[in-house]
């Protein structure tokens, strides 16, 4: 995943996974003088939650003497997640959850952030648990394209898209927590106030229950997906990337999902 002269942007939320990843990559960087690691944090604008996480992220970056860049939804999209939720809740009709907006907007924000800091690769701290949850979520949503494309090292399919790497994709979440504790890394433990609405939370509970009874299941699912992926990629290959007619960012449709969502809010 990493090269000796890489410039890596690490997506740092302030939680145990991303701060552990930052520590590990910072250690590797010291051994590779031609490489650079910087931290980027996306501030979604979740009052009382993201503020604390931002402080944790900033503190660790200072300790590691690492550059830390913060990009906010407000700056990039003109609206915070709290404002989006407020507007959505005023709607009489069925509305999208906070996480549905957050996921799409954060993904785009991270790509813009990584590109702006000149990174060759964007490292995210998705753990084995996250990866297996995502496999199920994509299946539940019937999203075959994402099922094929969400892999530990993404293909560079567009010049505006920074390659994503997931160095923790085979590390169980419990182990990243253990690493953070043993290294005495301070991290945010408070959950996001919108987390209970997330479909992902249900999938997490389901998978944890299965794993408890049948240890090793998460690894088996992850490995099965890796074996199946080439076949699924053949099915999904037809969708190429174009530039969004509104914002110019890479998308599979005429208008990207972020612009569609922001339009819907207006
Ligand atoms: Fe965003 Fe949902 Fe995660 Fe909160 S729980 S940070 S709203 S994706
Ligand atoms: Zn767009």
């Amino acid at each position: 995943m990493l090269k000796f002269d890489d410039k890596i942007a690490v997506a740092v939320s302030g939680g145990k996974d991303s701060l552990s990843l930052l520590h590990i990559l910072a250690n590797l960087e010291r051994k590779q003088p031609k490489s650079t690691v910087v931290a980027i944090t996306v501030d979604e604008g979740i009052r009382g939650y993201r503020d604390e996480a931002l402080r944790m992220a900033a503190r660790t970056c200072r300790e590691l003497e690492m550059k830390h860049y913060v990009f906010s939804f407000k700056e990039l999209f003109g609206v915070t997640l709290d404002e989006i939720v407020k507007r959505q809740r005023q709607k009489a009709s069925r509305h999208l959850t906070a996480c549905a907006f957050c996921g799409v907007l954060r993904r785009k924000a991270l790509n813009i952030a990584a590109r702006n800091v000149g990174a060759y690769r964007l490292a995210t701290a998705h753990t084995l648990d996250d990866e297996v949850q995502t496999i199920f979520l994509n299946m539940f949503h019937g999203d075959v394209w994402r099922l094929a494309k969400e892999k530990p090292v993404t293909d560079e399919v567009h010049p505006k898209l920074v390659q994503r790497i997931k160095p923790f994709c085979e590390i169980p979440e419990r182990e990243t927590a253990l690493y953070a504790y043993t290294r005495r890394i301070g991290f945010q433990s408070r959950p996001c106030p919108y987390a209970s609405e997330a479909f992902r939370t249900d999938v997490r509970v389901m998978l944890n229950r299965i794993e408890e009874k049948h240890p090793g299941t998460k690894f088996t699912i992850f490995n099965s997906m890796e074996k199946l992926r080439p076949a699924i990629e053949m099915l999904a290959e037809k969708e190429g990337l174009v530039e969004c007619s509104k914002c110019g960012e890479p998308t599979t449709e005429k208008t990207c999902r972020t612009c569609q969502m922001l339009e819907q809010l207006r």
Side-chain angles (χ1 to χ4, degrees):
M1 288 187 186
L2 307 165
K3 296 194 178 120
F4 74 99
D5 57 352
D6 246 333
K7 180 161 184 186
I8 313 277
V10 188
V12 178
S13 65
K16 61 186 183 329
D17 304 336
S18 62
L19 291 177
S20 294
L21 179 63
L22 195 66
H23 266 253
I24 291 169
L25 291 182
N27 282 336
L28 286 177
E29 183 200 26
R30 280 183 209 118
K31 293 175 194 154
Q32 297 290 342
K34 287 193 174 173
S35 69
T36 318
V37 177
V38 298
I40 50 177
T41 301
V42 172
D43 176 7
E44 302 93 345
I46 306 173
R47 191 191 280 267
Y49 167 69
R50 186 52 78 210
D51 328 353
E52 189 201 358
L54 270 168
R55 281 196 298 277
M56 299 276 189
R59 194 181 68 193
T60 304
C61 290
R62 272 197 306 276
E63 285 166 8
L64 295 172
E65 296 176 8
M66 184 170 289
K67 277 193 183 151
H68 183 212
Y69 301 89
V70 180
F71 292 75
S72 71
F73 277 12
K74 190 75 179 177
E75 262 166 22
L76 294 170
F77 310 120
V79 65
T80 66
L81 193 69
D82 284 342
E83 288 164 354
I84 292 175
V85 172
K86 205 170 153 201
R87 283 191 220 173
Q88 285 287 296
R89 284 180 180 164
Q90 282 161 357
K91 281 187 179 177
S93 58
R94 203 169 158 259
H95 55 254
L96 288 172
T97 61
C99 299
F101 275 95
C102 187
V104 171
L105 269 61
R106 183 156 17 89
R107 194 178 177 82
K108 181 161 173 172
L110 281 174
N111 186 58
I112 294 173
R115 210 171 59 214
N116 283 1
V117 302
Y120 309 151
R121 256 168 279 282
L122 168 64
T124 60
H126 290 101
T127 59
L128 174 72
D129 299 61
D130 298 317
E131 290 301 278
V132 177
Q133 288 158 19
T134 302
I135 292 170
F136 274 85
L137 281 170
N138 286 333
M139 277 203 277
F140 289 150
H141 288 134
D143 198 338
V144 179
W145 190 82
R146 279 216 178 287
L147 202 54
K149 301 292 167 190
E150 289 279 353
K151 45 187 171 181
V153 179
T154 58
D155 299 323
E156 292 160 296
V157 281
H158 195 280
K160 283 189 176 176
L161 217 50
V162 179
Q163 187 178 44
R164 282 171 178 249
I165 54 169
K166 300 174 184 173
F168 281 173
C169 64
E170 291 181 80
I171 310 290
E173 203 174 289
R174 283 178 166 199
E175 290 183 20
T176 62
L178 188 62
Y179 183 87
Y181 281 119
T182 55
R183 293 281 165 144
R184 299 182 193 284
I185 301 169
F187 59 85
Q188 190 190 38
S189 49
R190 187 191 304 186
C192 170
Y194 303 124
S196 59
E197 298 176 16
F199 195 177
R200 184 177 284 274
T201 305
D202 297 330
V203 174
R204 176 184 294 124
V205 171
M206 174 191 84
L207 286 167
N208 286 349
R209 243 181 234 154
I210 298 173
E211 179 74 27
E212 212 178 297
K213 277 193 176 176
H214 309 281
T217 302
K218 288 178 189 170
F219 274 116
T220 309
I221 298 168
F222 178 85
N223 290 332
S224 301
M225 188 61 209
E226 288 308 297
K227 283 184 194 145
L228 279 172
R229 185 167 283 116
I232 305 172
E233 268 179 321
M234 270 161 52
L235 279 174
E237 224 164 19
K238 288 165 203 112
E239 292 192 63
L241 283 179
V242 291
E243 289 188 8
C244 168
S245 59
K246 295 205 167 168
C247 69
E249 291 296 316
T251 173
T252 52
E253 298 169 67
K254 189 166 173 281
T255 309
C256 75
R257 188 84 184 107
T258 309
C259 289
Q260 287 177 28
M261 284 179 149
L262 294 173
E263 188 58 38
Q264 194 194 330
L265 274 181
R266 279 181 211 115

